[in-house]
Amino acid sequence: NAGVTQTPKFQVLKTGQSMTLQCAQDMNHEYMSWYRQDPGMGLRLIHYSVGAGITDQGEVPNGYNVSRSTTEDFPLRLLSAAPSQTSVYFCASSGSSGNTIYFGEGSWLTVV
Amino acid sequence: AQSVAQPEDQVNVAEGNPLTVKCTYSVSGNPYLFWYVQYPNRGLQFLLKYITGDNLVKGSYGFEAEFNKSQTSFHLKKPSALVSDSALYFCAIVAGNNRKLIWGLGTSLAVNP
């Protein structure tokens, strides 16, 4: 089982560049979300989706866009990368609120 | 306000000794409680959860946790620690009318040989 797959695993961007982090799950989960993990700050929710066509903002949405055109895919777009967006990004999915969450392996992003 | 606290940034134990990683919470209503583990340069992995029923929950890799409603705690325990248990541990809750997921900041566990 593939579970939650996110790409790329590592990326270096220049300030001002844009990019998309891809996330796909094969468990037919309704809930998908993106987190960023920074030292001493735990996991912070960027955006989430409760189903295809539905997205909403989390704690730290500024500078990021998402879309959910299918149940399987939930890409995260950085519109104009800034050094403050240097972080580790995790995609996650679950069957519903309160169910076990499955995480991808992470994407390490450095903005220079 | 609903919150999760992991009061220890780091826990150090000797291999073979019992370990405890603490988690306390403040919520309205009945929460769902979770523990996840993160090994270096990896994503988070599910360890165990409490929804309802028996207060003692057994999970992966020999871990267990006890839901204590009066103390609003959900401490993670293991009778005999392994060096391979060294990792970052996160407590999380789902609570409230909006069933919002709330994460603790994580506790780094170091098991020394």
Side-chain angles (χ1 to χ4, degrees), chain A residues 35 37 90 97-98 101 105, chain B residues 34 36 38 42 99 101 103:
Chain A
Y35 291 89
Q37 184 178 26
F90 289 99
S97 177
I101 299 171
E105 288 295 292
Chain B
F34 300 82
Y36 286 81
Q38 184 181 28
R42 302 293 299 277
R99 307 309 293 166
L101 179 64
W103 292 91

Side-chain angles (χ1 to χ4, degrees), chain B:
Chain B
Q2 299 178 118
S3 63
V4 176
Q6 294 182 241
E8 300 157 317
D9 290 338
Q10 180 147 352
V11 171
N12 294 294
V13 297
E15 187 175 27
N17 282 1
L19 69 87
T20 299
V21 182
K22 296 179 180 178
C23 174
T24 59
Y25 63 89
S26 174
V27 300
S28 57
N30 296 317
Y32 297 171
L33 299 142
F34 300 82
W35 275 103
Y36 286 81
V37 60
Q38 184 181 28
Y39 298 103
N41 302 317
R42 302 293 299 277
L44 280 72
Q45 298 178 29
F46 170 77
L47 275 181
L48 53 79
K49 67 180 177 183
Y50 173 83
I51 304 293
T52 187
D54 193 346
N55 289 345
L56 183 64
V57 179
K58 294 187 183 297
S60 306
Y61 312 121
F63 284 93
E64 60 186 29
E66 184 168 13
F67 171 59
N68 189 319
K69 190 171 184 177
S70 63
Q71 297 186 4
T72 60
S73 66
F74 190 57
H75 301 331
L76 182 70
K77 298 183 179 184
K78 187 173 182 180
S80 178
L82 301 172
V83 173
S84 58
D85 292 329
S86 299
L88 190 57
Y89 290 81
F90 288 94
C91 180
I93 63 170
V94 172
N97 292 332
N98 62 359
R99 307 309 293 166
K100 182 179 178 183
L101 179 64
I102 304 169
W103 292 91
L105 292 181
T107 298
S108 178
L109 172 67
V111 181
N112 307 306

Side-chain angles (χ1 to χ4, degrees), chain A:
Chain A
N1 292 336
V4 180
T5 304
Q6 52 178 117
T7 58
K9 188 149 180 95
F10 300 100
Q11 183 72 50
V12 179
L13 285 178
K14 293 183 179 179
T15 297
Q17 285 185 317
S18 62
M19 78 158 297
T20 299
L21 298 177
Q22 302 290 346
C23 177
Q25 52 91 8
D26 61 0
M27 296 172 282
N28 200 33
H29 283 168
E30 291 297 320
Y31 279 57
M32 295 188 74
S33 51
W34 277 102
Y35 291 89
R36 59 178 290 174
Q37 184 178 26
D38 302 289
M41 304 191 77
L43 292 168
R44 292 184 292 170
L45 182 65
I46 304 171
H47 285 284
Y48 66 99
S49 169
V50 300
I54 306 169
T55 63
D56 207 345
Q57 296 180 350
E59 302 171 62
V60 288
N62 292 341
Y64 307 95
N65 271 357
V66 291
S67 60
R68 186 91 181 272
S69 56
T70 67
T71 299
E72 294 79 18
D73 300 302
F74 192 46
L76 178 72
R77 297 182 185 85
L78 280 70
L79 308 173
S80 177
S84 61
Q85 294 178 304
T86 294
S87 187
V88 184
Y89 292 85
F90 289 99
C91 181
S93 75
S94 66
S96 65
S97 177
N99 276 14
T100 301
I101 299 171
Y102 295 86
F103 284 84
E105 288 295 292
S107 297
W108 274 253
L109 177 65
T110 301
V111 183
V112 298

